Every structure is written in structure tokens, then in C-alpha cells.
Amino acid sequence: MKKITLLLTLLILLNCKSKNDFEGQFLSVMETTTLDANGNTVEFNIGFTVEFEQTENQDCLVESKDELNSTLIEPMIRNVIRGYVGKLDNEGIETIDKEDVKAEINNQLSEGNISLNAKSFVDCPLKISMFTITRRN
């Protein structure tokens, strides 16, 4: 009986830890294709680190880091990249300032007007702390 009680207690604690583990940071990479100002296809490799923290009574509308990344972060980054690169010609693309792109991404994250499934994504401080973008040939 003691072993079963100990096992149940351990399982409950592990379950609570996993539910409260939705904070910290994670590294992600992705590829995206967009058009430049001249209508030419441009492909990029992108790497970034997302930092986030849990706040009391938050409703982040997602259950995991993977869901956060695939449903919110990556589509938003693709959107920013498309808007940014769509104004550049080939020479401008060669000299993309990754800090400008990162600042625009963080601006979008901090504005709080991001929504998911018609619900507002609020009370979840997110920030891109590291960002790289490399043109693929």
C-alpha cells in the first residue's frame, strides 16, 4: 500500500511539474520562401530563440511549446519576413539587418494583437532573443 501511495504521489507531482513547465526558452529553426520587390522567389533558413515566462492567471491558449511555435510564432515570423523582404530588391536582401527583423518580430509580439483561433493571445510575455536569417541559394 505504501508503494502504491508513493507511486501515486510521484505521478501527481510529475504531472503538476509538466503542466507548470510551460516557461523558459526554446530554439527553433525553419525555412521559408517569399517574393522580393521584383517578384523573384527567395528562400531563407531562419533560426531563433523564443523566451517566455509564465505569469499568474495567464491564458496562453496553447498547451505546449510545440503548439506555441507552430500555431503562433512561426506563422508570425513568416508574415514579418514576407513583409520585410517584399520591399527589397536583390541588393537589399543581401544586406538584411537581422536586428531590424528581430525588432519587428518582437514589436508584433509585444503589441498583443496576435490572435489564435479567434481568441486574443494575451498575458503571455514572449520575446525573440536570438535571431538569424540566411539566404538559401
Side-chain angles (χ1 to χ4, degrees), residues 45-110:
N45 292 324
I46 300 167
F48 55 94
T49 301
V50 178
E51 290 185 5
F52 56 100
E53 57 187 71
Q54 190 172 27
T55 58
E56 216 168 302
N57 299 321
Q58 76 187 44
D59 182 8
C60 289
L61 306 175
V62 292
E63 298 293 323
S64 68
K65 294 174 188 177
D66 290 335
E67 185 181 5
L68 173 70
N69 197 36
S70 65
T71 60
L72 182 82
I73 303 294
E74 286 184 1
M76 189 266 309
I77 288 176
R78 280 189 179 92
N79 189 43
V80 169
I81 297 296
R82 287 181 182 133
Y84 192 89
V85 172
K87 300 173 189 171
L88 302 175
D89 59 11
N90 191 44
E91 186 177 311
I93 291 171
E94 296 297 326
T95 60
I96 287 178
D97 185 347
K98 67 179 184 173
E99 292 301 317
D100 284 349
V101 177
K102 181 174 88 171
E104 178 59 29
I105 292 167
N106 282 325
N107 185 43
Q108 295 251 344
L109 288 172
S110 67

